[in-house]
Each structure stands twice: as structure tokens, then as C-alpha cells.
Amino acid sequence: MDYMKRILLILLIGLVLGCASEVTPISEIDIEATVEAKVVQKLEDKKPEPTATPVPEPTATPVPEPTATPVPEPTAIHTVVVKNIKSAPPFGGTSFLSPDILTSSDPSSFDQVCKCNPNDISLYWVDDEPRQMFDRRHGWINTTPFRFQAEFSDNLVIEVQVNPEFGSKLIAEEIALQYLLAIGQLPTYLRKDVDTIWLHKGIEDFGGGNNNLLIHHGRGLEYKEQGILEEIFLHEATHTSLDSYHLSSPEWIAAQEYDGQYISDYARDNPETEDLAETFPLCFALKYKASVLSEDVIQTIKETIPNRLIYCDVVFFDGYWY
């Protein structure tokens, strides 16, 4: 019996040892290394592929289309709001600003002289008849002047009435011819309402209005000496042919108000009679003879009366500014 127990014990021990020899020992697991490896693998899986630098397709150089030279449109009458800071008009009188706005070298629509030849188109004698004339020395006078008819190449006609105080019709004609060339240099629209010329002796101011140009020969000689005879006629003919149409127009009055200043003392002191006659010659100069004015004068004019400049440009000129 003891013998059998020993045999069974030996068999049991052998069985246990055999099983133990088939079990693979379990090594210690590095958890942190395992997690790190999985993270690296995930990052490797998500790593973007490198992007290639895109090569742009060649673009053709655009060929510009030819552009036409723009033609400016004429300006319309409108108002420019100006806060005029000038405490006084910049000029005393505009007729004396430049002697070169019109000169004897400018073309004239009166370019021929005749004596007693009714077939000539410039000046010829007509019968002397009684006329009423204005003379600054005496006021209105009734007399029988030496009469001539002056005809211009633009088909305008003016009756020239010369005070008989000059003594003879030949002398009267000679005196009249000293002024007709300059009068013919005025644009047609400044002569269109000039029906007569009154010519007297005396050192008195010229005048306009009454469908007339008033000349005092003594003053005329002074104007010629100063070189401003043509500029004086620009002023006086404005009275004759423009004032009645424009000086009291709502547009002109609005331009005055928006400008807030006058171009000269003479215009400021006589706004209802002299503003247009003082302004127009400078508008004419800026349009056609700007080269005879200094840059300072041009700038002063443009800053002082911008709305009047617009009015003159649109109404009297071509509307393309100065």
C-alpha cells in the first residue's frame, strides 16, 4: 500500500513538471512604449504628402485696344459755390489791365477806306441831316452832323455822326477813320446793336448804350497813347449789345451771388450797370488772348468770378472752358 502511494506521488510530480515546462513565461509589457508606437503610427498614417509648387500656365500679354481721343462736351450753365475770402475786388477797372487783349495787328472787319465813293463797301459819305446826339460836355444836343456810313465785312452797317465843330467833312472823315479799324476788331455780337457812332471833341469819357458808341476825340487820343483804345471799345460795346439781354437775367444775377465778389471796384460800385461790361472783356481775354495775361492775373480772375466765367463761356463762346 505504501508502495502504491509512492508510485502515484512520483507520477503526479512528473505530470506537474511536464506541464510547467510547456508554459511560455510572460515578459513584462512596456505600456508607455506601446502607446508611443501607436501614436507614431497614427501620425505616419496622417502625414500629408508633399505638395508640388504649381507651375502657372503661361499667360498671353494683353494687347490694349486703341482708345479714341475724348472730345470734351460743352459745359452748361451751373453754379459753383464759392466762399470768397477776398475783402475787396482785385482790380480797379478792367479796361486798364492789359493793352494787348486787342491790338492794331488783330484782324478787322473794317479794312478799306474810301472817299465819296458809294461803290466802296467800307465808308462813304451820306447827306447831312439833323440828328440828336449826346455830348458829355453839354448833354443832349440837336445838330446837323457830318454823316458817313461805315460798312463791315460781316454785313453790319453803322451810321457815323461827327460833330460839325470839326470844321469840314474831310476832317470829320479823317477823324472817324482813326476809330473804325478798332471798332471792326470787335466780334460781330458786340457790334450787332451799334446803329450809330457819336464823335465829338473834348477830353471826356467814352460811352455805350443807346444803340451807340460815344467817342470824345480828346480822350480817344489818350487811350491810343496808352494802347487801350480797343479795350475801351470792348467795354463800351458790351453796354450797347449785351447789357439789355444779360445784365438783369436771372442766370447772371445768380452768378453774381454765387461768386460773392466783383472783379473790379468799378463793377462793385455800379453792380446794376457796370458788372457785365467790366467782366466780359476779361472773359474774352481768357478765352482768346490768355497769353497776354500773367499767371497770377489769370488765377485771380478764375478764383474771383468762376460763375460769371461759366456764364460767358456757355452764352458767348463755345462752352469748352478757358
Side-chain angles (χ1 to χ4, degrees):
M1 194 64 177
D2 291 334
Y3 175 77
M4 290 298 295
K5 290 182 179 180
R6 289 177 181 172
I7 292 173
L8 288 173
L9 179 61
I10 292 169
L11 289 174
L12 181 61
I13 293 171
L15 181 61
V16 170
L17 290 175
C19 292
S21 63
E22 293 180 1
V23 177
T24 302
I26 299 173
S27 61
E28 184 178 350
I29 299 174
D30 189 343
I31 297 176
E32 292 182 0
T34 302
V35 172
E36 181 179 354
K38 291 185 178 181
V39 170
V40 170
Q41 183 62 44
K42 289 288 185 181
L43 292 176
E44 289 294 332
D45 293 342
K46 293 185 177 181
K47 185 182 294 185
E49 295 182 2
T51 57
T53 303
V55 179
E57 295 183 3
T59 57
T61 303
V63 179
E65 296 183 0
T67 57
T69 302
V71 178
E73 295 183 359
T75 57
I77 296 179
H78 62 277
T79 53
V80 179
V81 179
V82 177
K83 184 178 181 181
N84 209 313
I85 62 174
K86 293 180 175 63
S87 59
F91 309 116
T94 60
S95 297
F96 310 96
L97 193 58
S98 171
D100 298 319
I101 297 174
L102 284 175
T103 69
S104 58
S105 63
D106 287 308
S108 174
S109 58
F110 184 88
D111 54 10
Q112 295 186 20
V113 176
C114 80
K115 293 182 179 180
C116 310
N117 184 356
N119 296 318
D120 196 285
I121 65 169
S122 290
L123 183 69
Y124 58 90
W125 294 20
V126 293
D127 293 338
D128 299 337
E129 297 177 353
R131 291 288 187 268
Q132 185 179 59
M133 307 166 68
F134 186 81
D135 183 335
R136 289 200 187 277
R137 300 166 300 174
H138 309 297
W140 290 99
I141 62 173
N142 293 295
T143 187
T144 302
F146 300 121
R147 292 197 314 129
F148 306 89
Q149 183 162 298
E151 297 188 358
F152 299 82
S153 61
D154 53 8
N155 298 319
L156 294 182
V157 177
I158 299 176
E159 179 179 301
V160 183
Q161 303 171 10
V162 183
N163 194 309
E165 64 186 337
F166 284 96
S168 73
K169 196 153 187 168
L170 284 173
I171 295 175
E173 181 187 47
E174 179 183 346
I175 300 299
L177 288 172
Q178 295 182 29
Y179 298 101
L180 289 172
L181 181 68
I183 291 171
Q185 291 175 320
L186 300 174
T188 299
Y189 56 81
L190 286 187
R191 286 179 288 109
K192 66 182 179 64
D193 286 351
V194 179
D195 296 332
T196 60
I197 293 172
W198 297 327
L199 179 51
H200 308 284
K201 289 184 176 181
I203 304 176
E204 304 289 343
D205 290 338
F206 283 21
N210 300 301
N211 298 104
N212 174 270
L213 292 175
L214 169 63
I215 300 171
H216 281 276
H217 186 50
R219 184 72 78 209
L221 294 175
E222 292 180 354
Y223 290 150
K224 291 178 70 174
E225 181 69 22
Q226 299 171 47
I228 60 171
L229 179 64
E230 297 86 356
E231 286 70 31
I232 296 297
F233 279 137
L234 273 173
H235 177 104
E236 300 303 346
T238 298
H239 282 308
T240 305
S241 294
L242 300 185
D243 274 1
S244 61
Y245 306 101
H246 304 282
L247 188 57
S248 299
S249 71
E251 294 83 3
W252 183 262
I253 293 173
Q256 285 179 324
E257 293 175 350
Y258 275 96
D259 285 341
Q261 186 55 276
Y262 293 90
I263 196 63
S264 69
D265 294 338
Y266 192 37
R268 177 199 59 198
D269 296 342
N270 305 275
E272 296 180 356
T273 57
E274 298 297 334
D275 187 45
L276 181 57
E278 282 289 281
T279 300
F280 175 81
L282 295 189
C283 298
F284 182 89
L286 284 184
K287 192 69 175 181
Y288 302 112
K289 286 291 190 73
S291 61
V292 307
L293 303 175
S294 70
E295 287 299 324
D296 287 344
V297 167
I298 291 174
Q299 191 62 32
T300 296
I301 295 170
K302 290 182 176 180
E303 290 177 354
T304 305
I305 53 169
N307 292 285
R308 292 178 181 85
L309 288 176
I310 292 172
Y311 183 99
C312 288
D313 187 41
V314 173
V315 175
F316 305 127
F317 309 139
D318 58 12
Y320 288 101
W321 195 235
Y322 299 89

